[in-house]
Amino acid sequence: MKLSSTFSTLGLALLLGLLPPTALAGPGHDHGEALVTAAGTALPRFAATSESFELVGVLDGTKIALYLDHADDNRPVKDARLELDIAGTHVPVTRVAEGEFQATLAAPLAEGVSPVTATVAAGTDTDLLAGEIDLHPAAHTDAAPAGLARRTALMAGAAAAVLLALVAAWRLRRGRGRGRAARMGSAQRVGGAA
């Protein structure tokens, strides 16, 4: 096989390896919808627990989505009443569905750790749940996800290694060709003089 054919094949393989899979798939060969990955930061959340109940709250600005489940099997708590206190302030709670509530803060929470307490009344059971919410400024949400950056760096490194190997092979092959031509030329001169 010629050296130029080898370089062409390796170059094409390298190029195809760097393309995203969707660039190569034709109609009917895309294997369904691509997985959706979240970009940016997750919403702050907290958990307040006891032996009987578990309350999870998801904070979105001043709105809080609350999910109340039984601690032993994660079933939503039916016919529950919920009272919520965050950082010493009573927060009104509205029932949305079985085990689901919503609340609205009067003002956004301050950065840092705030204590959360909830009183749950369900049937004959009443319990006090405790937890905390930890708020910190959002990190750079416009930065590429760590997995993507790592994958890109690995691919770039692999491409550079393949390219260096190809250049080294080409130089080695080219050096052998010049040495052979030089030997053949001197052999012809020696043979012609005799």
Side-chain angles (χ1 to χ4, degrees), residues 82-180:
L82 182 64
E83 292 181 14
L84 185 64
D85 184 289
I86 299 178
T89 303
H90 176 74
V91 181
V93 175
T94 305
R95 185 170 171 260
V96 177
E98 294 297 334
E100 294 183 26
F101 301 85
Q102 65 183 18
T104 303
L105 297 168
L109 287 175
E111 289 181 10
V113 178
S114 299
V116 176
T117 56
T119 303
V120 176
T124 59
D125 294 329
T126 302
D127 211 346
L128 182 65
L129 287 67
E132 58 186 28
I133 185 165
D134 190 1
L135 294 179
H136 291 289
H140 301 285
T141 56
D142 57 341
L148 178 62
R150 183 171 181 243
R151 180 175 176 235
T152 302
L154 287 173
M155 289 177 66
V162 168
L163 184 61
L164 286 173
L166 290 174
V167 168
W170 177 73
R171 283 190 172 186
L172 182 63
R173 180 83 173 186
R174 189 171 172 218
R176 285 183 186 166
R178 284 187 177 169
R180 189 179 315 153

Side-chain angles (χ1 to χ4, degrees), residues 2-192:
K2 291 185 175 182
L3 188 60
S4 63
S5 174
T6 303
F7 281 129
S8 297
T9 303
L10 288 173
L12 181 60
L14 179 63
L15 177 66
L16 291 175
L18 293 177
L19 289 175
T22 55
L24 303 175
H29 297 282
D30 61 356
H31 301 285
E33 292 295 317
L35 293 175
V36 177
T37 56
T41 57
L43 293 174
R45 57 194 67 229
F46 66 87
T49 60
S50 71
E51 287 185 23
S52 302
F53 303 109
E54 179 178 75
L55 177 69
V56 175
V58 180
L59 182 66
D60 189 1
T62 58
K63 300 209 179 292
I64 306 173
L66 300 158
Y67 305 94
L68 181 64
D69 295 330
H70 290 279
D72 57 350
D73 60 6
N74 288 339
R75 285 180 299 122
V77 179
K78 295 182 179 185
D79 299 322
R81 292 180 314 284
L82 182 64
E83 292 181 14
L84 185 64
D85 184 289
I86 299 178
T89 303
H90 176 74
V91 181
V93 175
T94 305
R95 185 170 171 260
V96 177
E98 294 297 334
E100 294 183 26
F101 301 85
Q102 65 183 18
T104 303
L105 297 168
L109 287 175
E111 289 181 10
V113 178
S114 299
V116 176
T117 56
T119 303
V120 176
T124 59
D125 294 329
T126 302
D127 211 346
L128 182 65
L129 287 67
E132 58 186 28
I133 185 165
D134 190 1
L135 294 179
H136 291 289
H140 301 285
T141 56
D142 57 341
L148 178 62
R150 183 171 181 243
R151 180 175 176 235
T152 302
L154 287 173
M155 289 177 66
V162 168
L163 184 61
L164 286 173
L166 290 174
V167 168
W170 177 73
R171 283 190 172 186
L172 182 63
R173 180 83 173 186
R174 189 171 172 218
R176 285 183 186 166
R178 284 187 177 169
R180 189 179 315 153
R183 285 192 304 272
M184 291 180 90
S186 65
Q188 286 178 351
R189 277 187 247 140
V190 171

